[in-house]
mmCIF file of all heavy atoms in Angstrom:
data_model
loop_
_atom_site.group_PDB
_atom_site.id
_atom_site.type_symbol
_atom_site.label_atom_id
_atom_site.label_comp_id
_atom_site.label_asym_id
_atom_site.label_seq_id
_atom_site.Cartn_x
_atom_site.Cartn_y
_atom_site.Cartn_z
ATOM 1 N N MET A 1258 18.526 16.611 -51.787
ATOM 2 C CA MET A 1258 17.166 16.833 -52.206
ATOM 3 C C MET A 1258 16.234 15.740 -51.681
ATOM 4 O O MET A 1258 15.118 16.019 -51.290
ATOM 5 C CB MET A 1258 17.124 16.884 -53.734
ATOM 6 C CG MET A 1258 15.791 17.270 -54.280
ATOM 7 S SD MET A 1258 15.474 19.000 -53.962
ATOM 8 C CE MET A 1258 13.913 19.160 -54.716
ATOM 9 N N LYS A 1259 16.702 14.510 -51.684
ATOM 10 C CA LYS A 1259 15.873 13.411 -51.213
ATOM 11 C C LYS A 1259 15.588 13.540 -49.719
ATOM 12 O O LYS A 1259 14.511 13.212 -49.259
ATOM 13 C CB LYS A 1259 16.554 12.076 -51.501
ATOM 14 C CG LYS A 1259 16.582 11.701 -52.945
ATOM 15 C CD LYS A 1259 17.237 10.352 -53.144
ATOM 16 C CE LYS A 1259 17.275 9.985 -54.615
ATOM 17 N NZ LYS A 1259 17.890 8.675 -54.831
ATOM 18 N N ARG A 1260 16.573 14.042 -48.994
ATOM 19 C CA ARG A 1260 16.398 14.168 -47.537
ATOM 20 C C ARG A 1260 15.325 15.197 -47.198
ATOM 21 O O ARG A 1260 14.503 14.975 -46.311
ATOM 22 C CB ARG A 1260 17.730 14.549 -46.906
ATOM 23 C CG ARG A 1260 17.678 14.607 -45.411
ATOM 24 C CD ARG A 1260 19.034 14.889 -44.843
ATOM 25 N NE ARG A 1260 18.935 14.935 -43.394
ATOM 26 C CZ ARG A 1260 19.939 14.805 -42.591
ATOM 27 N NH1 ARG A 1260 21.152 14.641 -43.074
ATOM 28 N NH2 ARG A 1260 19.775 14.847 -41.301
ATOM 29 N N THR A 1261 15.303 16.323 -47.899
ATOM 30 C CA THR A 1261 14.281 17.332 -47.633
ATOM 31 C C THR A 1261 12.896 16.834 -48.029
ATOM 32 O O THR A 1261 11.905 17.187 -47.394
ATOM 33 C CB THR A 1261 14.599 18.645 -48.379
ATOM 34 O OG1 THR A 1261 14.751 18.372 -49.769
ATOM 35 C CG2 THR A 1261 15.847 19.300 -47.834
ATOM 36 N N LYS A 1262 12.821 16.006 -49.071
ATOM 37 C CA LYS A 1262 11.523 15.438 -49.457
ATOM 38 C C LYS A 1262 10.981 14.532 -48.359
ATOM 39 O O LYS A 1262 9.787 14.528 -48.080
ATOM 40 C CB LYS A 1262 11.655 14.648 -50.762
ATOM 41 C CG LYS A 1262 11.369 15.421 -51.987
ATOM 42 C CD LYS A 1262 11.285 14.485 -53.184
ATOM 43 C CE LYS A 1262 10.803 15.250 -54.387
ATOM 44 N NZ LYS A 1262 10.693 14.387 -55.560
ATOM 45 N N LYS A 1263 11.865 13.764 -47.734
ATOM 46 C CA LYS A 1263 11.429 12.875 -46.654
ATOM 47 C C LYS A 1263 10.904 13.688 -45.475
ATOM 48 O O LYS A 1263 9.902 13.341 -44.859
ATOM 49 C CB LYS A 1263 12.588 11.991 -46.196
ATOM 50 C CG LYS A 1263 12.925 10.880 -47.166
ATOM 51 C CD LYS A 1263 14.060 10.025 -46.635
ATOM 52 C CE LYS A 1263 14.434 8.942 -47.627
ATOM 53 N NZ LYS A 1263 15.515 8.094 -47.128
ATOM 54 N N ILE A 1264 11.574 14.781 -45.144
ATOM 55 C CA ILE A 1264 11.142 15.619 -44.021
ATOM 56 C C ILE A 1264 9.817 16.295 -44.354
ATOM 57 O O ILE A 1264 8.915 16.365 -43.521
ATOM 58 C CB ILE A 1264 12.230 16.654 -43.687
ATOM 59 C CG1 ILE A 1264 13.459 15.953 -43.122
ATOM 60 C CG2 ILE A 1264 11.714 17.671 -42.684
ATOM 61 C CD1 ILE A 1264 14.651 16.839 -42.908
ATOM 62 N N ILE A 1265 9.674 16.784 -45.594
ATOM 63 C CA ILE A 1265 8.434 17.442 -46.004
ATOM 64 C C ILE A 1265 7.272 16.458 -45.996
ATOM 65 O O ILE A 1265 6.150 16.812 -45.632
ATOM 66 C CB ILE A 1265 8.612 18.104 -47.392
ATOM 67 C CG1 ILE A 1265 9.571 19.294 -47.268
ATOM 68 C CG2 ILE A 1265 7.285 18.570 -47.955
ATOM 69 C CD1 ILE A 1265 9.965 19.925 -48.587
ATOM 70 N N ASN A 1266 7.513 15.219 -46.373
ATOM 71 C CA ASN A 1266 6.453 14.214 -46.356
ATOM 72 C C ASN A 1266 6.024 13.868 -44.940
ATOM 73 O O ASN A 1266 4.876 13.499 -44.716
ATOM 74 C CB ASN A 1266 6.915 12.945 -47.082
ATOM 75 C CG ASN A 1266 6.999 13.142 -48.582
ATOM 76 O OD1 ASN A 1266 6.387 14.055 -49.128
ATOM 77 N ND2 ASN A 1266 7.758 12.285 -49.241
ATOM 78 N N LYS A 1267 6.899 13.964 -43.966
ATOM 79 C CA LYS A 1267 6.569 13.641 -42.579
ATOM 80 C C LYS A 1267 5.989 14.837 -41.832
ATOM 81 O O LYS A 1267 5.445 14.688 -40.744
ATOM 82 C CB LYS A 1267 7.823 13.161 -41.845
ATOM 83 C CG LYS A 1267 8.313 11.817 -42.312
ATOM 84 C CD LYS A 1267 9.530 11.376 -41.542
ATOM 85 C CE LYS A 1267 10.036 10.045 -42.058
ATOM 86 N NZ LYS A 1267 11.203 9.579 -41.327
ATOM 87 N N LEU A 1268 6.086 16.034 -42.417
ATOM 88 C CA LEU A 1268 5.653 17.251 -41.728
ATOM 89 C C LEU A 1268 4.177 17.231 -41.322
ATOM 90 O O LEU A 1268 3.849 17.570 -40.180
ATOM 91 C CB LEU A 1268 5.969 18.474 -42.592
ATOM 92 C CG LEU A 1268 5.900 19.828 -41.917
ATOM 93 C CD1 LEU A 1268 6.900 19.890 -40.764
ATOM 94 C CD2 LEU A 1268 6.177 20.931 -42.920
ATOM 95 N N PRO A 1269 3.234 16.823 -42.193
ATOM 96 C CA PRO A 1269 1.823 16.770 -41.753
ATOM 97 C C PRO A 1269 1.610 15.818 -40.580
ATOM 98 O O PRO A 1269 0.807 16.101 -39.681
ATOM 99 C CB PRO A 1269 1.076 16.289 -42.989
ATOM 100 C CG PRO A 1269 1.951 16.645 -44.129
ATOM 101 C CD PRO A 1269 3.359 16.537 -43.609
ATOM 102 N N ASN A 1270 2.317 14.701 -40.561
ATOM 103 C CA ASN A 1270 2.185 13.760 -39.437
ATOM 104 C C ASN A 1270 2.684 14.386 -38.142
ATOM 105 O O ASN A 1270 2.070 14.199 -37.084
ATOM 106 C CB ASN A 1270 2.968 12.477 -39.726
ATOM 107 C CG ASN A 1270 2.357 11.681 -40.853
ATOM 108 O OD1 ASN A 1270 1.190 11.849 -41.177
ATOM 109 N ND2 ASN A 1270 3.163 10.833 -41.460
ATOM 110 N N ILE A 1271 3.776 15.108 -38.219
ATOM 111 C CA ILE A 1271 4.331 15.756 -37.028
ATOM 112 C C ILE A 1271 3.369 16.823 -36.516
ATOM 113 O O ILE A 1271 3.101 16.904 -35.311
ATOM 114 C CB ILE A 1271 5.720 16.353 -37.341
ATOM 115 C CG1 ILE A 1271 6.719 15.235 -37.640
ATOM 116 C CG2 ILE A 1271 6.207 17.218 -36.196
ATOM 117 C CD1 ILE A 1271 8.055 15.718 -38.178
ATOM 118 N N ILE A 1272 2.810 17.627 -37.420
ATOM 119 C CA ILE A 1272 1.879 18.688 -37.014
ATOM 120 C C ILE A 1272 0.631 18.093 -36.387
ATOM 121 O O ILE A 1272 0.156 18.570 -35.351
ATOM 122 C CB ILE A 1272 1.540 19.578 -38.224
ATOM 123 C CG1 ILE A 1272 2.777 20.370 -38.653
ATOM 124 C CG2 ILE A 1272 0.397 20.524 -37.899
ATOM 125 C CD1 ILE A 1272 2.608 21.142 -39.944
ATOM 126 N N CYS A 1273 0.080 17.052 -36.979
ATOM 127 C CA CYS A 1273 -1.128 16.414 -36.427
ATOM 128 C C CYS A 1273 -0.856 15.803 -35.057
ATOM 129 O O CYS A 1273 -1.684 15.899 -34.152
ATOM 130 C CB CYS A 1273 -1.646 15.346 -37.383
ATOM 131 S SG CYS A 1273 -2.381 16.033 -38.866
ATOM 132 N N THR A 1274 0.303 15.185 -34.902
ATOM 133 C CA THR A 1274 0.657 14.582 -33.619
ATOM 134 C C THR A 1274 0.797 15.650 -32.542
ATOM 135 O O THR A 1274 0.299 15.475 -31.420
ATOM 136 C CB THR A 1274 1.976 13.794 -33.757
ATOM 137 O OG1 THR A 1274 1.835 12.839 -34.798
ATOM 138 C CG2 THR A 1274 2.323 13.092 -32.459
ATOM 139 N N LEU A 1275 1.446 16.749 -32.860
ATOM 140 C CA LEU A 1275 1.597 17.836 -31.884
ATOM 141 C C LEU A 1275 0.246 18.450 -31.522
ATOM 142 O O LEU A 1275 -0.020 18.734 -30.348
ATOM 143 C CB LEU A 1275 2.539 18.910 -32.421
ATOM 144 C CG LEU A 1275 4.008 18.550 -32.478
ATOM 145 C CD1 LEU A 1275 4.798 19.660 -33.153
ATOM 146 C CD2 LEU A 1275 4.548 18.301 -31.085
ATOM 147 N N ALA A 1276 -0.619 18.644 -32.514
ATOM 148 C CA ALA A 1276 -1.936 19.218 -32.242
ATOM 149 C C ALA A 1276 -2.771 18.279 -31.372
ATOM 150 O O ALA A 1276 -3.434 18.727 -30.422
ATOM 151 C CB ALA A 1276 -2.653 19.513 -33.554
ATOM 152 N N LEU A 1277 -2.736 17.000 -31.669
ATOM 153 C CA LEU A 1277 -3.502 16.031 -30.887
ATOM 154 C C LEU A 1277 -2.993 15.936 -29.454
ATOM 155 O O LEU A 1277 -3.780 15.918 -28.501
ATOM 156 C CB LEU A 1277 -3.452 14.662 -31.562
ATOM 157 C CG LEU A 1277 -4.278 13.556 -30.911
ATOM 158 C CD1 LEU A 1277 -5.753 13.917 -30.973
ATOM 159 C CD2 LEU A 1277 -4.021 12.235 -31.599
ATOM 160 N N SER A 1278 -1.677 15.908 -29.276
ATOM 161 C CA SER A 1278 -1.125 15.824 -27.925
ATOM 162 C C SER A 1278 -1.421 17.100 -27.135
ATOM 163 O O SER A 1278 -1.715 17.027 -25.935
ATOM 164 C CB SER A 1278 0.377 15.543 -27.967
ATOM 165 O OG SER A 1278 1.057 16.588 -28.619
ATOM 166 N N THR A 1279 -1.381 18.258 -27.787
ATOM 167 C CA THR A 1279 -1.727 19.508 -27.106
ATOM 168 C C THR A 1279 -3.179 19.474 -26.653
ATOM 169 O O THR A 1279 -3.502 19.870 -25.527
ATOM 170 C CB THR A 1279 -1.496 20.703 -28.047
ATOM 171 O OG1 THR A 1279 -0.139 20.701 -28.460
ATOM 172 C CG2 THR A 1279 -1.813 22.013 -27.356
ATOM 173 N N PHE A 1280 -4.068 19.012 -27.516
ATOM 174 C CA PHE A 1280 -5.482 18.911 -27.155
ATOM 175 C C PHE A 1280 -5.689 17.978 -25.971
ATOM 176 O O PHE A 1280 -6.462 18.277 -25.055
ATOM 177 C CB PHE A 1280 -6.284 18.415 -28.362
ATOM 178 C CG PHE A 1280 -7.728 18.197 -28.062
ATOM 179 C CD1 PHE A 1280 -8.579 19.282 -27.915
ATOM 180 C CD2 PHE A 1280 -8.231 16.925 -27.905
ATOM 181 C CE1 PHE A 1280 -9.921 19.083 -27.626
ATOM 182 C CE2 PHE A 1280 -9.559 16.711 -27.620
ATOM 183 C CZ PHE A 1280 -10.409 17.797 -27.483
ATOM 184 N N ILE A 1281 -5.000 16.852 -25.951
ATOM 185 C CA ILE A 1281 -5.142 15.885 -24.857
ATOM 186 C C ILE A 1281 -4.650 16.484 -23.545
ATOM 187 O O ILE A 1281 -5.307 16.364 -22.508
ATOM 188 C CB ILE A 1281 -4.396 14.580 -25.190
ATOM 189 C CG1 ILE A 1281 -5.129 13.845 -26.315
ATOM 190 C CG2 ILE A 1281 -4.264 13.686 -23.960
ATOM 191 C CD1 ILE A 1281 -4.386 12.656 -26.870
ATOM 192 N N PHE A 1282 -3.501 17.166 -23.571
ATOM 193 C CA PHE A 1282 -2.979 17.778 -22.355
ATOM 194 C C PHE A 1282 -3.901 18.877 -21.845
ATOM 195 O O PHE A 1282 -4.129 19.012 -20.642
ATOM 196 C CB PHE A 1282 -1.575 18.337 -22.570
ATOM 197 C CG PHE A 1282 -0.513 17.278 -22.616
ATOM 198 C CD1 PHE A 1282 0.330 17.182 -23.703
ATOM 199 C CD2 PHE A 1282 -0.352 16.387 -21.572
ATOM 200 C CE1 PHE A 1282 1.318 16.207 -23.762
ATOM 201 C CE2 PHE A 1282 0.622 15.404 -21.609
ATOM 202 C CZ PHE A 1282 1.461 15.316 -22.708
ATOM 203 N N MET A 1283 -4.469 19.670 -22.746
ATOM 204 C CA MET A 1283 -5.383 20.729 -22.327
ATOM 205 C C MET A 1283 -6.661 20.145 -21.724
ATOM 206 O O MET A 1283 -7.188 20.650 -20.737
ATOM 207 C CB MET A 1283 -5.711 21.635 -23.514
ATOM 208 C CG MET A 1283 -4.572 22.527 -23.923
ATOM 209 S SD MET A 1283 -4.926 23.485 -25.392
ATOM 210 C CE MET A 1283 -6.227 24.538 -24.819
ATOM 211 N N ALA A 1284 -7.170 19.080 -22.306
ATOM 212 C CA ALA A 1284 -8.381 18.446 -21.799
ATOM 213 C C ALA A 1284 -8.131 17.850 -20.413
ATOM 214 O O ALA A 1284 -8.983 17.953 -19.522
ATOM 215 C CB ALA A 1284 -8.854 17.370 -22.769
ATOM 216 N N ASN A 1285 -6.974 17.244 -20.212
ATOM 217 C CA ASN A 1285 -6.649 16.682 -18.902
ATOM 218 C C ASN A 1285 -6.512 17.783 -17.861
ATOM 219 O O ASN A 1285 -6.971 17.640 -16.727
ATOM 220 C CB ASN A 1285 -5.355 15.869 -18.966
ATOM 221 C CG ASN A 1285 -5.562 14.542 -19.646
ATOM 222 O OD1 ASN A 1285 -6.672 14.030 -19.694
ATOM 223 N ND2 ASN A 1285 -4.495 14.002 -20.176
ATOM 224 N N GLY A 1286 -5.878 18.887 -18.230
ATOM 225 C CA GLY A 1286 -5.730 19.998 -17.294
ATOM 226 C C GLY A 1286 -7.068 20.590 -16.918
ATOM 227 O O GLY A 1286 -7.323 20.901 -15.751
ATOM 228 N N TYR A 1287 -7.969 20.730 -17.886
ATOM 229 C CA TYR A 1287 -9.303 21.250 -17.587
ATOM 230 C C TYR A 1287 -10.064 20.297 -16.677
ATOM 231 O O TYR A 1287 -10.743 20.714 -15.760
ATOM 232 C CB TYR A 1287 -10.087 21.472 -18.884
ATOM 233 C CG TYR A 1287 -11.481 21.966 -18.646
ATOM 234 C CD1 TYR A 1287 -11.708 23.272 -18.250
ATOM 235 C CD2 TYR A 1287 -12.573 21.112 -18.787
ATOM 236 C CE1 TYR A 1287 -12.990 23.729 -18.016
ATOM 237 C CE2 TYR A 1287 -13.853 21.558 -18.563
ATOM 238 C CZ TYR A 1287 -14.064 22.873 -18.174
ATOM 239 O OH TYR A 1287 -15.331 23.306 -17.937
ATOM 240 N N GLY A 1288 -9.924 19.000 -16.917
ATOM 241 C CA GLY A 1288 -10.603 18.018 -16.074
ATOM 242 C C GLY A 1288 -10.107 18.056 -14.642
ATOM 243 O O GLY A 1288 -10.884 17.909 -13.695
ATOM 244 N N ILE A 1289 -8.823 18.281 -14.463
ATOM 245 C CA ILE A 1289 -8.261 18.359 -13.113
ATOM 246 C C ILE A 1289 -8.733 19.631 -12.411
ATOM 247 O O ILE A 1289 -9.121 19.612 -11.245
ATOM 248 C CB ILE A 1289 -6.721 18.299 -13.171
ATOM 249 C CG1 ILE A 1289 -6.272 16.902 -13.586
ATOM 250 C CG2 ILE A 1289 -6.098 18.670 -11.827
ATOM 251 C CD1 ILE A 1289 -4.786 16.808 -13.899
ATOM 252 N N LEU A 1290 -8.718 20.755 -13.136
ATOM 253 C CA LEU A 1290 -9.099 22.024 -12.527
ATOM 254 C C LEU A 1290 -10.603 22.142 -12.301
ATOM 255 O O LEU A 1290 -11.048 22.923 -11.471
ATOM 256 C CB LEU A 1290 -8.620 23.186 -13.399
ATOM 257 C CG LEU A 1290 -7.109 23.353 -13.476
ATOM 258 C CD1 LEU A 1290 -6.775 24.464 -14.451
ATOM 259 C CD2 LEU A 1290 -6.524 23.654 -12.114
ATOM 260 N N LYS A 1291 -11.404 21.379 -13.037
ATOM 261 C CA LYS A 1291 -12.850 21.461 -12.915
ATOM 262 C C LYS A 1291 -13.340 20.834 -11.602
ATOM 263 O O LYS A 1291 -14.394 21.199 -11.094
ATOM 264 C CB LYS A 1291 -13.491 20.756 -14.112
ATOM 265 C CG LYS A 1291 -14.977 20.950 -14.204
ATOM 266 C CD LYS A 1291 -15.536 20.265 -15.433
ATOM 267 C CE LYS A 1291 -17.043 20.340 -15.431
ATOM 268 N NZ LYS A 1291 -17.623 19.564 -16.508
ATOM 269 N N GLN A 1292 -12.590 19.884 -11.063
ATOM 270 C CA GLN A 1292 -13.005 19.206 -9.844
ATOM 271 C C GLN A 1292 -13.066 20.187 -8.681
ATOM 272 O O GLN A 1292 -12.290 21.135 -8.598
ATOM 273 C CB GLN A 1292 -12.026 18.093 -9.499
ATOM 274 C CG GLN A 1292 -12.049 16.948 -10.469
ATOM 275 C CD GLN A 1292 -11.016 15.888 -10.113
ATOM 276 O OE1 GLN A 1292 -10.236 16.076 -9.194
ATOM 277 N NE2 GLN A 1292 -11.008 14.804 -10.840
ATOM 278 N N GLU A 1293 -14.008 19.942 -7.783
ATOM 279 C CA GLU A 1293 -14.150 20.796 -6.611
ATOM 280 C C GLU A 1293 -13.009 20.503 -5.635
ATOM 281 O O GLU A 1293 -12.746 19.354 -5.301
ATOM 282 C CB GLU A 1293 -15.484 20.523 -5.924
ATOM 283 C CG GLU A 1293 -15.755 21.437 -4.767
ATOM 284 C CD GLU A 1293 -17.090 21.137 -4.114
ATOM 285 O OE1 GLU A 1293 -18.021 20.722 -4.832
ATOM 286 O OE2 GLU A 1293 -17.192 21.309 -2.895
ATOM 287 N N LEU A 1294 -12.356 21.547 -5.222
ATOM 288 C CA LEU A 1294 -11.248 21.385 -4.301
ATOM 289 C C LEU A 1294 -11.707 21.675 -2.883
ATOM 290 O O LEU A 1294 -12.361 22.680 -2.626
ATOM 291 C CB LEU A 1294 -10.109 22.345 -4.668
ATOM 292 C CG LEU A 1294 -9.488 22.139 -6.043
ATOM 293 C CD1 LEU A 1294 -8.454 23.216 -6.294
ATOM 294 C CD2 LEU A 1294 -8.845 20.779 -6.142
ATOM 295 N N THR A 1295 -11.386 20.792 -1.968
ATOM 296 C CA THR A 1295 -11.675 21.030 -0.560
ATOM 297 C C THR A 1295 -10.376 20.930 0.209
ATOM 298 O O THR A 1295 -9.615 19.973 0.049
ATOM 299 C CB THR A 1295 -12.676 19.995 -0.008
ATOM 300 O OG1 THR A 1295 -12.181 18.694 -0.282
ATOM 301 C CG2 THR A 1295 -14.031 20.149 -0.669
ATOM 302 N N ILE A 1296 -10.119 21.940 0.998
ATOM 303 C CA ILE A 1296 -8.885 21.978 1.771
ATOM 304 C C ILE A 1296 -9.256 22.055 3.246
ATOM 305 O O ILE A 1296 -9.977 22.944 3.672
ATOM 306 C CB ILE A 1296 -8.020 23.195 1.377
ATOM 307 C CG1 ILE A 1296 -7.659 23.104 -0.098
ATOM 308 C CG2 ILE A 1296 -6.778 23.272 2.242
ATOM 309 C CD1 ILE A 1296 -6.965 24.326 -0.638
ATOM 310 N N ASN A 1297 -8.772 21.102 4.011
ATOM 311 C CA ASN A 1297 -9.015 21.079 5.447
ATOM 312 C C ASN A 1297 -7.684 21.193 6.160
ATOM 313 O O ASN A 1297 -6.694 20.585 5.756
ATOM 314 C CB ASN A 1297 -9.696 19.770 5.864
ATOM 315 C CG ASN A 1297 -11.065 19.632 5.236
ATOM 316 O OD1 ASN A 1297 -11.777 20.600 5.077
ATOM 317 N ND2 ASN A 1297 -11.418 18.403 4.866
ATOM 318 N N GLY A 1298 -7.674 21.963 7.246
ATOM 319 C CA GLY A 1298 -6.436 22.089 7.990
ATOM 320 C C GLY A 1298 -6.607 23.004 9.180
ATOM 321 O O GLY A 1298 -7.652 23.616 9.387
ATOM 322 N N LYS A 1299 -5.571 23.105 9.981
ATOM 323 C CA LYS A 1299 -5.586 23.970 11.158
ATOM 324 C C LYS A 1299 -4.408 24.923 11.062
ATOM 325 O O LYS A 1299 -3.352 24.578 10.535
ATOM 326 C CB LYS A 1299 -5.457 23.154 12.428
ATOM 327 C CG LYS A 1299 -6.647 22.284 12.726
ATOM 328 C CD LYS A 1299 -6.462 21.555 14.039
ATOM 329 C CE LYS A 1299 -7.672 20.680 14.323
ATOM 330 N NZ LYS A 1299 -7.539 19.965 15.588
ATOM 331 N N ALA A 1300 -4.613 26.116 11.601
ATOM 332 C CA ALA A 1300 -3.535 27.097 11.617
ATOM 333 C C ALA A 1300 -3.520 27.771 12.988
ATOM 334 O O ALA A 1300 -4.565 28.028 13.579
ATOM 335 C CB ALA A 1300 -3.731 28.133 10.529
ATOM 336 N N GLU A 1301 -2.347 28.041 13.473
ATOM 337 C CA GLU A 1301 -2.204 28.746 14.742
ATOM 338 C C GLU A 1301 -1.472 30.056 14.482
ATOM 339 O O GLU A 1301 -0.476 30.094 13.774
ATOM 340 C CB GLU A 1301 -1.407 27.901 15.735
ATOM 341 C CG GLU A 1301 -2.127 26.636 16.158
ATOM 342 C CD GLU A 1301 -1.334 25.822 17.161
ATOM 343 O OE1 GLU A 1301 -0.380 26.372 17.745
ATOM 344 O OE2 GLU A 1301 -1.668 24.657 17.332
ATOM 345 N N ILE A 1302 -2.004 31.117 15.066
ATOM 346 C CA ILE A 1302 -1.400 32.431 14.882
ATOM 347 C C ILE A 1302 -0.746 32.837 16.191
ATOM 348 O O ILE A 1302 -1.388 32.861 17.240
ATOM 349 C CB ILE A 1302 -2.454 33.469 14.462
ATOM 350 C CG1 ILE A 1302 -3.075 33.052 13.128
ATOM 351 C CG2 ILE A 1302 -1.827 34.850 14.367
ATOM 352 C CD1 ILE A 1302 -4.228 33.903 12.696
ATOM 353 N N ASN A 1303 0.528 33.156 16.124
ATOM 354 C CA ASN A 1303 1.266 33.631 17.286
ATOM 355 C C ASN A 1303 1.090 35.144 17.409
ATOM 356 O O ASN A 1303 1.156 35.867 16.420
ATOM 357 C CB ASN A 1303 2.766 33.332 17.128
ATOM 358 C CG ASN A 1303 3.220 32.244 18.045
ATOM 359 O OD1 ASN A 1303 2.514 31.869 18.972
ATOM 360 N ND2 ASN A 1303 4.405 31.739 17.794
ATOM 361 N N GLU A 1304 0.889 35.618 18.597
ATOM 362 C CA GLU A 1304 0.732 37.051 18.817
ATOM 363 C C GLU A 1304 2.069 37.752 18.970
ATOM 364 O O GLU A 1304 2.122 38.955 19.108
ATOM 365 C CB GLU A 1304 -0.129 37.305 20.065
ATOM 366 C CG GLU A 1304 -1.571 36.820 19.916
ATOM 367 C CD GLU A 1304 -2.304 37.586 18.831
ATOM 368 O OE1 GLU A 1304 -2.065 38.792 18.674
ATOM 369 O OE2 GLU A 1304 -3.099 36.952 18.137
ATOM 370 N N GLU A 1305 3.142 36.985 18.966
ATOM 371 C CA GLU A 1305 4.465 37.548 19.126
ATOM 372 C C GLU A 1305 4.854 38.357 17.877
ATOM 373 O O GLU A 1305 4.702 37.903 16.764
ATOM 374 C CB GLU A 1305 5.464 36.416 19.318
ATOM 375 C CG GLU A 1305 6.866 36.856 19.603
ATOM 376 C CD GLU A 1305 7.789 35.665 19.785
ATOM 377 O OE1 GLU A 1305 7.347 34.646 20.350
ATOM 378 O OE2 GLU A 1305 8.931 35.764 19.332
ATOM 379 N N ILE A 1306 5.321 39.583 18.089
ATOM 380 C CA ILE A 1306 5.700 40.440 16.978
ATOM 381 C C ILE A 1306 7.212 40.343 16.775
ATOM 382 O O ILE A 1306 7.991 40.493 17.697
ATOM 383 C CB ILE A 1306 5.319 41.919 17.259
ATOM 384 C CG1 ILE A 1306 3.796 42.029 17.386
ATOM 385 C CG2 ILE A 1306 5.833 42.808 16.135
ATOM 386 C CD1 ILE A 1306 3.325 43.389 17.827
ATOM 387 N N ILE A 1307 7.606 40.085 15.574
ATOM 388 C CA ILE A 1307 9.028 39.993 15.245
ATOM 389 C C ILE A 1307 9.415 41.259 14.500
ATOM 390 O O ILE A 1307 8.878 41.562 13.436
ATOM 391 C CB ILE A 1307 9.316 38.737 14.387
ATOM 392 C CG1 ILE A 1307 8.876 37.487 15.123
ATOM 393 C CG2 ILE A 1307 10.761 38.692 13.988
ATOM 394 C CD1 ILE A 1307 8.917 36.234 14.307
ATOM 395 N N LYS A 1308 10.364 42.012 15.073
ATOM 396 C CA LYS A 1308 10.806 43.230 14.442
ATOM 397 C C LYS A 1308 12.085 42.951 13.677
ATOM 398 O O LYS A 1308 13.039 42.406 14.231
ATOM 399 C CB LYS A 1308 11.057 44.326 15.483
ATOM 400 C CG LYS A 1308 9.797 44.751 16.188
ATOM 401 C CD LYS A 1308 10.067 45.868 17.170
ATOM 402 C CE LYS A 1308 8.792 46.268 17.875
ATOM 403 N NZ LYS A 1308 9.028 47.333 18.845
ATOM 404 N N PRO A 1309 12.162 43.341 12.413
ATOM 405 C CA PRO A 1309 13.377 43.106 11.649
ATOM 406 C C PRO A 1309 14.507 44.034 12.077
ATOM 407 O O PRO A 1309 14.284 45.180 12.457
ATOM 408 C CB PRO A 1309 12.962 43.404 10.209
ATOM 409 C CG PRO A 1309 11.783 44.295 10.330
ATOM 410 C CD PRO A 1309 11.110 43.938 11.626
ATOM 411 N N GLU A 1310 15.714 43.544 12.033
ATOM 412 C CA GLU A 1310 16.875 44.366 12.372
ATOM 413 C C GLU A 1310 17.443 44.976 11.104
ATOM 414 O O GLU A 1310 17.610 44.294 10.106
ATOM 415 C CB GLU A 1310 17.938 43.498 13.057
ATOM 416 C CG GLU A 1310 17.495 42.947 14.399
ATOM 417 C CD GLU A 1310 18.558 42.087 15.023
ATOM 418 O OE1 GLU A 1310 19.712 42.117 14.565
ATOM 419 O OE2 GLU A 1310 18.237 41.361 15.965
ATOM 420 N N VAL A 1311 17.758 46.265 11.190
ATOM 421 C CA VAL A 1311 18.290 46.947 10.018
ATOM 422 C C VAL A 1311 19.759 47.254 10.250
ATOM 423 O O VAL A 1311 20.173 47.635 11.287
ATOM 424 C CB VAL A 1311 17.517 48.239 9.742
ATOM 425 C CG1 VAL A 1311 18.113 48.961 8.539
ATOM 426 C CG2 VAL A 1311 16.063 47.934 9.526
#
């Protein structure tokens, strides 16, 4: 009985910690995705056609 009381007393702390950490991770993800992305690069296209063998 004493062991379950200890777990029940810690339950609000665990829930608050999980909620706060979830909020922090979501805010960081939004901050990363909000930034403007610029991609620079070169690509070469070969005109050679590759036919698959069946």
Side-chain angles (χ1 to χ4, degrees):
M1258 187 71 179
K1259 289 182 181 181
R1260 184 176 180 161
T1261 55
K1262 267 190 172 181
K1263 286 181 182 181
I1264 292 173
I1265 291 173
N1266 288 340
K1267 291 181 182 181
L1268 194 60
N1270 292 340
I1271 294 171
I1272 292 172
C1273 289
T1274 304
L1275 288 175
L1277 184 64
S1278 62
T1279 302
F1280 176 74
I1281 290 171
F1282 284 124
M1283 287 175 66
N1285 285 337
Y1287 178 74
I1289 290 170
L1290 293 176
K1291 189 178 174 187
Q1292 292 178 355
E1293 184 180 327
L1294 298 176
T1295 54
I1296 300 173
N1297 296 324
K1299 292 183 180 180
E1301 294 181 16
I1302 299 173
N1303 251 346
E1304 295 296 324
E1305 185 180 324
I1306 297 173
I1307 302 171
K1308 295 182 181 179
E1310 295 179 14
V1311 178

